Amino acid sequence: MGKNRTDGLARRDLLKTSTALGILSSAPLTAAAQTSSPPSPARATPAHASAPIERDEHDPDTTAPSHVFDRPGSDYMVDVIKALGIEYVAANCGSSFRSLQESITVYGENRAPEYLTCLHEEASAAMAHGYSKVAGKPMAILAHNTVGLQHASMAIFNAYCDRAPMLIFAGNTLDATQRRGGAEWYHSDSDPAAFIRGFIKWDDNPVSLAHFAESTARAYRIAMTAPMGPAVISIDKKLQEAPSSRSGEPALPRFPQSIQPSADPAALDTVARMLVEAASPVLLADRLTRTQAGLNNLVALAELLQAPVVCPGGSPLTFPQLHALNQSDDGRRVIAAADVIVGLEMIDLWSSLNRLVDGPVPQTRRIARADAKVASIGMADVFIRGGAQTFQRYQEVDLAIAADAETALPYLLEAVRRRLPRARQSSFNARGQRFAEAKRRRIEQYWSDARYGWDGSPISTPRLAYEVWKAIEHKDWSLTHAPRAFTDFWDKRLPYHDLGRSGGSGVGYGAPASVGAALANKALGRFSVTIQPDGDLMFSPGVLWTAAHHKIPLLSVMHNNRAYHQEVMHLQRMACEHNRGIDACTIGTTLDNPFIDYAKLAQSMGVYAEGPITDPAELPAALRRAVAIVERGEPALLDVVTQPR
Amino acid sequence: MKTKLIALSFLMSAAAMPAAADEPNVENGRNVYQATGCWQCHGYGGQGGSVGPRVGPSPLPLGVFTDYLREPTGTMPRYSERVLSDEDIADLHAFLASLPPADAGPARGSTPPMRPSRTR
């Protein structure tokens, strides 16, 4: 990207030239503009531009007083955003935030925050979602209040479900007498965040710059306090565009550092006693770890007890994937045998302890023992809003501790250490050995089963996962997104080795969230890779252009199965239940006739791409070429035609 | 005499017909596998995937296989006789049994191993 000219001369040149072109009216210029130097020859004034402007007194655009001034309110907004350490704002440009956009790119010199050009607001929000999982802090997005927020709403919902912080600045014109005709009315709302309030943490509608500063700092703190999530600040057009002056502006907010809520020590001691005294304890962990320290603490707790850990799919990595005590791939059996179950930031504890068997009359089956003691530590009970059913079915527990489990974990670990009976250590170790042996067998079985169809076409999903693994295993890599279970046998050890899935299961998350995560990984020198489903990509394919434009290195390997296969099975189930032929289940669920050429799609937007690749023997070389492109700092896409799932 | 021979020949053919029908038809089994969308979870080659297990080339015994299709215990749809006849299931079973054996697969030692648990 070219560097913006933000020095006084550039601004003065613009003013001078603009005046000469008749763009600006005869309103008084600032001192800086009045002392500007003559225009350069390259900016010679067209002859016709010297003619006086004919004013139409019935046209409000030409009769309204015009202003030229040095400091709009939006410059102060940029200072506030900078004070909060926001590095990026993602946006599809819109007139309701035109002043803030100009202030970010010119006054703010387009650095921290840098403006990211997005082709759809859903991509803006999903990029912010993915970025937060790596950076551990929010990205901001800009959107028109009504039409922009509606576009963004799906990705905001995903972020809310996934507990991802995000700052959303929504352009609005609250004063009805100040709205231009037409679109500006449609883009205004008297209650700007009303239609997304069910899945954001907080919103406000500031009416002064002081109010903006306080509310933005408050929004940041709320977004970053567990359970994290999106917060919305409406940015009024008048507030952005009206003149301001440094001397009259409020002080900038201090950076709002948040310490997450921990648990009552006595309650943690009770949980420690339950775990130590149990014959078969199990730790369930969902949205538990945000940091390496959190993951390390869970490993230490599990190893201290030699207790199995089960992580329901979807969260970023909470426990090393191939660790002997990671029993997620046999979770139901492990839970069924447990006498003490401790849930850590479980979003859906019920579905781990029970299951609902799908059918015309769904049936409930208990998985956990009826006499199993259950405790939970997490923020789920303070996470419930409005109508969005993000809280899942109610699960009775013996002890519910409302606290941020990652923050409470070191204290739980210490309480377990204090209570650990040395006499039982050998039985604990024997327990661990049993789980290790079971895990080892399952890993062997997986790779043994993977041999079937290994050389077949379309390419099997284990073969795809294996070849991608071999291409990245010696790098400092980060898996930004992948379909469920694809990479369960990768050696994921660090939190960024798997950033989890969307949270709300809203299709269209994978591609833009991966670009956002890759942006954050780029600053850390990490190699970003995603297994990209075809259906997901088509929700916001324009994000490929954003990746190319901003030179965001990301390896996208398509899981192109040419259908929405999960939905195929739902239709099969319905057809079987309705006791009739199931040969029409591909109608509306398959992406064929014609096939989509994802390589050409990516190439059209400046992304290096190859494919469609149908022969697994061609994969390693194609991956080597694509990896080289990504290591050069650019995105690359391989369209790989695969088995369905 | 000629009439008797024709009649006998017809009877012999008729007697042979059930035996021929009992022979499972692998090609029809392949069509059934495609038409009923088994590949959706179990892969185009029956090799299994991230959702469904491998179903070939050594499927469950035909009786168990049929019972499971009629009354599955997992997330698989329930296939009634009207949707999938016993004959089609037998053909499907034969098709799965005819699938090729495993390939060589990943090179030995090239897949990531288990990480041991540290003990005190």
Side-chain angles (χ1 to χ4, degrees):
Chain A
M1 286 170 295
K3 184 181 182 303
N4 290 286
R5 295 189 63 194
T6 55
D7 54 285
L9 181 63
R11 196 173 179 86
R12 287 196 298 273
D13 284 352
L14 173 67
L15 289 168
K16 180 79 176 177
T17 310
S18 300
T19 305
L21 287 168
I23 294 170
L24 299 178
S25 74
S26 56
L29 297 179
T30 62
Q34 288 165 353
T35 57
S36 61
S37 53
S40 65
R43 294 186 176 187
T45 307
H48 68 269
S50 60
I53 298 168
E54 291 294 329
R55 287 200 153 201
D56 177 358
E57 56 188 29
H58 300 294
D59 180 353
D61 285 342
T62 57
T63 56
S66 298
H67 301 279
V68 176
F69 46 87
D70 274 348
R71 188 163 174 87
S74 54
D75 281 5
Y76 175 76
M77 292 177 174
V78 169
D79 289 338
V80 171
I81 293 168
K82 283 178 178 285
L84 296 174
I86 302 293
E87 291 182 298
Y88 297 99
V89 292
N92 181 257
C93 52
S95 59
S96 64
F97 52 84
R98 61 189 182 182
S99 188
L100 182 57
Q101 180 174 342
E102 193 272 345
S103 290
I104 288 168
T105 54
V106 180
Y107 167 72
E109 300 186 340
N110 202 28
R111 286 200 296 268
E114 178 184 345
Y115 187 98
L116 301 171
T117 308
C118 294
L119 308 189
H120 193 290
E121 289 85 350
E122 184 173 350
S124 306
M127 277 182 67
H129 183 174
Y131 170 89
S132 74
K133 289 183 173 185
V134 176
K137 65 179 187 178
M139 178 189 284
I141 72 166
L142 305 177
H144 273 314
N145 168 35
T146 52
V147 292
L149 283 188
Q150 288 184 75
H151 277 309
S153 60
M154 178 60 249
I156 295 170
F157 178 73
N158 273 337
Y160 175 79
C161 296
D162 204 24
R163 304 184 175 186
M166 180 188 306
L167 281 186
I168 300 158
F169 293 109
N172 193 37
T173 306
L174 199 56
D175 185 344
T177 68
Q178 302 295 306
R179 296 174 193 157
R180 292 176 295 137
E184 204 149 85
W185 280 79
Y186 299 121
H187 294 177
S188 298
D189 197 312
S190 59
D191 186 7
F195 55 89
I196 59 169
R197 195 165 286 135
F199 44 90
I200 56 173
K201 283 193 76 179
W202 187 69
D203 68 277
D204 200 13
N205 197 358
V207 294
S208 70
L209 291 179
H211 189 176
F212 171 83
E214 285 184 17
S215 289
T216 302
R218 189 195 298 268
Y220 186 98
R221 200 164 77 188
I222 289 171
M224 286 294 289
T225 300
M228 298 181 184
V232 180
I233 296 296
S234 173
I235 46 170
D236 189 66
K237 192 182 84 167
K238 200 157 84 175
L239 203 58
Q240 296 174 62
E241 298 188 8
S244 182
S245 67
R246 288 182 185 277
S247 59
E249 289 170 353
L252 293 173
R254 284 189 292 167
F255 183 77
Q257 185 74 42
S258 292
I259 303 298
Q260 307 301 340
S262 188
D264 172 39
L268 289 178
D269 195 52
T270 303
V271 176
R273 193 179 70 237
M274 290 167 64
L275 285 168
V276 166
E277 293 177 355
S280 301
V282 61
L283 301 167
L284 306 182
D286 193 357
R287 270 27 181 213
L288 173 65
T289 54
R290 298 178 296 269
T291 64
Q292 184 67 52
L295 187 145
N296 292 347
N297 283 331
L298 184 58
V299 171
L301 180 63
E303 290 184 341
L304 206 55
L305 295 159
Q306 291 297 310
V309 177
V310 175
C311 310
S315 71
L317 193 75
T318 48
F319 196 76
Q321 189 78 40
L322 298 184
H323 190 287
L325 294 173
N326 188 331
Q327 301 289 312
S328 304
D329 50 330
D330 197 27
R332 198 171 283 175
R333 195 194 312 265
V334 171
I335 290 167
D339 59 347
V340 167
I341 298 166
V342 175
L344 302 165
E345 294 295 352
M346 292 295 292
I347 287 180
D348 187 6
L349 183 56
W350 189 92
S351 289
S352 288
L353 308 191
N354 309 273
R355 74 186 179 110
L356 191 81
V357 181
D358 199 2
V361 183
Q363 296 179 343
T364 298
R365 304 240 173 95
R366 174 86 174 175
I367 297 169
R369 283 164 43 175
D371 64 345
K373 297 286 183 203
V374 182
S376 68
I377 306 173
M379 299 297 283
D381 288 345
V382 295
F383 196 56
I384 294 172
R385 296 287 306 270
Q389 303 285 294
T390 57
F391 37 81
Q392 313 292 325
R393 191 163 170 185
Y394 178 69
Q395 174 61 54
E396 288 185 337
V397 298
D398 298 287
L399 180 61
I401 302 174
D404 178 52
E406 185 179 47
T407 306
L409 208 49
Y411 304 101
L412 177 62
L413 188 59
E414 194 48 44
V416 168
R417 271 202 189 99
R418 279 197 307 271
R419 287 187 165 275
L420 209 60
R422 288 215 166 270
R424 292 187 59 201
Q425 192 59 50
S426 63
S427 69
F428 282 16
N429 290 347
R431 179 165 69 204
Q433 280 300 315
R434 285 197 300 275
F435 286 116
E437 181 55 24
K439 179 79 174 183
R440 189 188 58 73
R441 280 200 306 269
R442 288 198 301 276
I443 292 172
E444 282 181 8
Q445 188 64 50
Y446 173 82
W447 290 114
S448 176
D449 285 345
R451 295 176 300 131
Y452 291 88
W454 186 257
D455 297 326
S457 178
I459 296 169
S460 75
T461 51
R463 179 72 185 265
L464 176 71
Y466 172 83
E467 298 296 354
V468 177
W469 165 254
K470 297 310 287 181
I472 63 157
E473 64 174 324
H474 299 302
K475 303 181 188 305
D476 183 19
W477 55 274
S478 175
L479 177 67
T480 57
H481 179 254
R484 189 175 73 85
F486 258 55
T487 56
D488 278 1
F489 293 86
W490 281 19
D491 189 15
K492 304 174 199 167
R493 291 169 285 109
L494 307 171
Y496 57 85
H497 278 172
D498 189 341
L499 299 180
R501 296 201 300 281
S502 66
S505 297
V507 181
Y509 161 89
S514 291
V515 172
L519 179 64
N521 277 328
K522 177 183 178 182
L524 299 165
R526 291 183 194 143
F527 187 95
S528 298
V529 60
T530 180
I531 310 287
Q532 177 60 55
D534 51 343
D536 179 279
L537 178 61
M538 294 311 289
F539 274 71
S540 50
V543 79
L544 294 172
W545 179 87
T546 299
H549 180 70
H550 290 282
K551 296 203 179 306
I552 299 173
L554 169 67
L555 173 59
S556 300
V557 182
M558 298 287 299
H559 164 39
N560 178 9
N561 58 17
R562 295 171 166 168
Y564 303 102
H565 277 285
Q566 181 169 291
E567 308 312 315
V568 176
M569 198 189 78
H570 280 301
L571 288 186
Q572 284 177 322
R573 172 179 295 284
M574 291 300 104
C576 283
E577 283 179 10
H578 303 159
N579 204 21
R580 52 200 181 206
I582 57 176
D583 51 356
C585 297
T586 52
I587 296 173
T589 52
T590 49
L591 298 171
D592 56 5
N593 194 25
F595 293 133
I596 299 170
D597 190 331
Y598 297 98
K600 282 184 180 166
L601 176 77
Q603 287 161 357
S604 78
M605 289 187 266
V607 173
Y608 175 88
E610 294 185 37
I613 299 167
T614 56
D615 181 352
E618 293 176 5
L619 251 183
L623 279 162
R624 279 195 295 276
R625 291 189 291 271
V627 164
I629 297 292
V630 174
E631 288 188 320
R632 208 170 70 194
E634 296 172 26
L637 181 144
L638 294 181
D639 178 13
V640 183
V641 179
T642 64
Q643 294 284 328
R645 299 171 87 179
Chain B
M1 181 66 184
K2 191 176 178 183
T3 306
K4 281 183 180 175
L5 278 175
I6 290 171
L8 182 60
S9 169
F10 175 79
L11 283 171
M12 287 175 72
S13 302
M17 276 175 66
D22 283 342
E23 287 295 317
N25 184 331
V26 171
E27 200 49 44
N28 184 50
R30 185 192 310 277
N31 294 336
V32 169
Y33 191 79
Q34 292 298 324
T36 55
C38 308
W39 44 268
Q40 199 276 131
C41 290
H42 301 290
Y44 297 117
Q47 70 269 51
S50 61
V51 178
R54 179 167 60 83
V55 289
S58 48
L60 296 167
L62 180 59
V64 181
F65 182 73
T66 305
D67 288 348
Y68 192 81
L69 284 167
R70 300 288 184 229
E71 289 293 335
T73 56
T75 55
M76 199 175 85
R78 179 180 284 104
Y79 292 88
S80 72
E81 204 160 347
R82 182 169 156 193
V83 172
L84 202 58
S85 69
D86 284 347
E87 288 74 20
D88 279 344
I89 290 178
D91 293 347
L92 178 62
H93 188 267
F95 164 68
L96 296 176
S98 76
L99 287 169
D103 297 316
R108 195 170 182 80
S110 69
T111 56
M114 186 188 76
R115 296 264 173 184
S117 173
R118 288 165 299 183
T119 53
R120 292 205 306 162

